[in-house]
Amino acid sequence: MNYRSQQTETAVAQSRDGMVTTPHWAASEAGAKVLARGGNAIEALVAAGAALSVTYPHFCGLGGDAVWMVCDRDGDARTFLGIGQAAAKAEINGAIPPRGPASTLTTACLVDSWEKVLNHSATAWGGSEQLSALLDDAIALAEDGFAVSPSQTFWHDFRASESAAWPGFRDLFRREGIQRQTDLARTLKAIASNGAREFYEGELADRIARGLAATGSPLTAADLAATRTRMVEPVRLAYGDTVLLAPPPPTQGITTLGIMAVLAQLAPKDKAPDSAAYYHALVEAVKQAFLDRHLIADPEFAVDATKPLLDPERLAAKASAIHPNRAVDWPVPYRQGDTALLAAVDADGRAACLLQSIYFDWGSGVVAGDTGILWQNRGAAFSTDPASPNFIQPGKRPFYTLNPGLALKDGRPHLVYGTQGADGQPQTLALLLSLLIDHGLDPLAALSRPRFLLGRTFSDTRDNLKIEENIGADTLATLGSMGHEVGTIARLSPLGGQAGIIRINGDGQMQAAHDPRSDGGAIGL
């Protein structure tokens, strides 16, 4: 590897010629290769995302979805919602199961999103890379193998008692050593040869449908053929001298913006970033925004919540409801989910980021026949309450935790960011954005700060405030005196998510890092 700039444990990656950041070094390298040969940010992330679909099978893959944010150097931004829809014949009796064939209720849209963003790359950015070439690294990783990451080992061990019942799982995924996925390599080759729609309408689609049907999944070939990515406008919010961009519903992007709008009224710049007052303001702003999150749903089936939830008077009332030194209860049900963030900026200052996911770690646990594709369980995010905006219906997209983001300054891309972590995503993003914008930290410094997580997790069913222990005993004690039920988690805990950040300064200098909680980092040309 001959790149000039690479993130280390103590320093951000820096470059003027292009940057890519992902949670796995092999994926970062795949994206950097594309930038080095003259490809743009979108093309780099297709290559990196395909590689990550192989090397991070516990968090993302071809059987999942993707949400993209892309922006040219002049601030012309687009959101691509690569979100699969509910099966036409999904039948729910009682609660939606979190795993197994009955949880495979939605199609997978990641592969279709590759085609859509590459079409935008070609028509709007003059891109010339072909999907076939962008899949080379992913195919080689699947075929030749790669060393199992610490993250994969952790989640393999954590689900050991459950995964014994998942068809095909134990034969396919390893907890240590070299991981090979020959069936997935063959699937990727079919897509490279025949295009992205091979996944939805070709011979590969038939094999996927047969494989899913054999497990008892309600998804059919017709459901696959109906899967399409939507290109939509991002939602915008002014925060100081920056403009934050987020994906619209059915994602929780407006929740992140709502937190930031409330936080802006609590003077975060005036509070030391290691103080209890600072964390209290962040936590209480999160609580206020999360109270409205149940209103977010697919706007093609329910009322679009964007305008009412971001109404300035509503947000001002939420800010005024926050007591400066007294916490309120956390009444929000927990949503699980794991994702992976990738981001890139090319030499022309064009930016792209995406989150790709199979929802829970290891998704549904269902492998689609001989394709090597582990299918998502995103349908578990639907509600079975007919009164809920997120009530499951044929063709509907579920509420979505994925919300990558961009920030503009002086009309041009300034920050590119996102994180893994389901309910934790808006919480982590609010902390990172405030550290970056209000307190001027560099990407790695911001990513290394103590994180908090409100609500339940897979390992702790209490609705308490979990904070990484290196925040300090005095700050913890003060938060406790304010009424926060505080529990500590380890420094750089996996519960804190895996975030990535690229910052483009006014002089064109790029700084980037990926989370020290991850297995990857940032590479600059």
Side-chain angles (χ1 to χ4, degrees):
M1 197 168 53
N2 297 315
Y3 309 114
R4 293 202 305 268
S5 178
Q6 183 171 321
Q7 174 190 333
T8 68
E9 291 184 0
T10 58
V12 296
Q14 301 197 50
S15 176
R16 291 182 181 275
D17 299 319
M19 188 72 72
V20 62
T21 182
T22 84
H24 195 284
W25 281 112
S28 294
E29 290 170 7
K33 287 180 186 177
V34 175
L35 292 179
R37 68 183 184 231
N40 63 44
I42 289 174
E43 295 164 335
L45 287 195
V46 171
L52 196 68
S53 294
V54 178
T55 60
Y56 248 39
H58 50 299
F59 281 176
C60 64
L62 305 193
D65 291 335
V67 175
W68 292 74
M69 298 281 288
V70 305
C71 185
D72 69 15
R73 70 187 306 271
D74 296 319
D76 184 9
R78 297 286 186 276
T79 299
F80 291 85
L81 299 177
I83 300 175
Q85 79 284 358
K89 297 180 179 179
E91 295 182 4
I92 303 299
N93 297 310
I96 299 173
R99 303 277 191 184
S103 73
T104 60
L105 297 173
T106 62
T107 62
C109 202
L110 169 65
V111 175
D112 183 73
S113 79
W114 291 344
E115 179 177 81
K116 298 302 186 297
V117 295
L118 287 175
N119 286 344
H120 183 76
S121 164
T123 58
W125 292 9
S128 59
E129 291 276 350
Q130 299 299 307
L131 179 60
S132 56
L134 295 174
L135 297 184
D136 283 348
D137 278 40
I139 292 169
L141 287 163
E143 205 160 45
D144 301 337
F146 56 92
V148 169
S149 68
S151 182
Q152 180 172 330
T153 298
F154 175 88
W155 290 104
H156 194 286
D157 288 346
F158 191 83
R159 300 299 179 188
S161 61
E162 300 173 56
S163 62
W166 299 345
F169 181 89
R170 285 300 182 99
D171 295 333
L172 186 57
F173 298 108
R174 299 179 61 88
R175 73 166 302 278
E176 60 185 354
I178 301 300
Q179 171 80 67
R180 292 183 176 86
Q181 300 180 67
T182 54
D183 287 343
L184 185 60
R186 189 168 74 252
T187 291
L188 286 163
K189 287 178 181 178
I191 296 168
S193 296
N194 302 314
R197 292 306 297 178
E198 172 70 13
F199 190 96
Y200 303 95
E201 297 168 344
E203 188 272 337
L204 173 59
D206 290 338
R207 288 198 292 120
I208 292 170
R210 290 197 303 270
L212 289 171
T215 70
S217 169
L219 291 170
T220 66
D223 292 319
L224 294 177
T227 304
R228 293 289 189 279
T229 301
R230 278 90 158 169
M231 183 177 76
V232 296
E233 293 291 325
V235 186
R236 297 169 181 252
L237 175 82
Y239 186 85
D241 61 357
T242 65
V243 177
L244 306 179
L245 308 185
T251 83
Q252 63 176 342
I254 58 175
T255 300
T256 298
L257 297 186
I259 296 169
M260 298 307 295
V262 172
L263 181 65
Q265 301 177 61
L266 304 179
K269 285 185 178 181
D270 299 336
K271 298 173 174 62
D274 59 352
S275 68
Y278 181 66
Y279 278 86
H280 174 75
L282 281 160
V283 168
E284 296 305 299
V286 167
K287 290 176 181 177
Q288 290 295 324
F290 268 56
L291 288 171
D292 289 339
R293 203 171 57 144
H294 67 284
L295 299 173
I296 300 172
D298 186 342
E300 294 180 12
F301 287 78
V303 174
D304 187 344
T306 303
K307 287 185 178 180
L309 266 57
L310 294 181
D311 177 75
E313 291 187 6
R314 184 190 192 102
L315 294 168
K318 287 181 174 295
S320 65
I322 295 174
H323 194 283
N325 53 28
R326 187 170 66 242
V328 298
D329 292 336
W330 175 249
V332 181
Y334 170 63
R335 290 180 186 268
Q336 187 169 327
D338 287 295
T339 59
L341 178 279
L342 307 93
V345 178
D346 59 37
D348 290 328
R350 297 168 298 201
C353 58
L354 82 146
L355 282 166
Q356 52 188 50
S357 172
I358 51 173
Y359 200 28
F360 289 16
D361 55 280
W362 304 111
S364 65
V366 173
V367 178
D370 63 355
T371 65
I373 300 170
L374 183 64
W375 211 263
Q376 67 180 351
N377 60 333
R378 184 60 66 169
F382 278 120
S383 172
T384 56
D385 179 0
S388 169
N390 196 38
F391 177 64
I392 186 169
Q393 294 173 260
K396 189 175 184 177
R397 296 168 296 168
F399 167 84
Y400 232 76
T401 52
L402 276 61
N403 70 126
L406 290 162
L408 307 180
K409 192 171 186 178
D410 298 324
R412 293 186 171 182
H414 174 55
L415 297 171
V416 192
Y417 52 88
T419 185
Q420 171 263 351
D423 277 4
Q425 285 188 35
Q427 303 181 43
T428 295
L429 291 182
L431 171 64
L432 294 175
L433 286 170
S434 180
L435 291 171
L436 292 162
I437 299 170
D438 296 323
H439 293 284
L441 272 64
D442 70 50
L444 184 57
L447 291 166
S448 301
R449 297 287 302 176
R451 302 253 174 95
F452 68 88
L453 180 63
L454 276 163
R456 303 172 190 177
T457 69
F458 63 85
S459 61
D460 187 342
T461 58
R462 295 173 297 165
D463 280 321
N464 61 355
L465 173 62
K466 300 161 184 66
I467 303 184
E468 291 180 333
E469 59 191 5
N470 55 312
I471 195 174
D474 290 346
T475 299
L476 288 170
T478 303
L479 287 169
S481 71
M482 292 175 168
H484 295 281
E485 183 187 350
V486 181
T488 58
I489 54 179
R491 176 181 178 271
L492 302 180
S493 168
L495 294 181
Q498 295 183 4
I501 300 167
I502 301 175
R503 179 164 66 191
I504 309 103
N505 296 321
D507 62 358
Q509 180 76 7
M510 305 172 200
Q511 297 177 308
H514 214 87
D515 215 306
R517 299 161 185 80
S518 76
D519 304 298
I523 295 175
L525 272 63

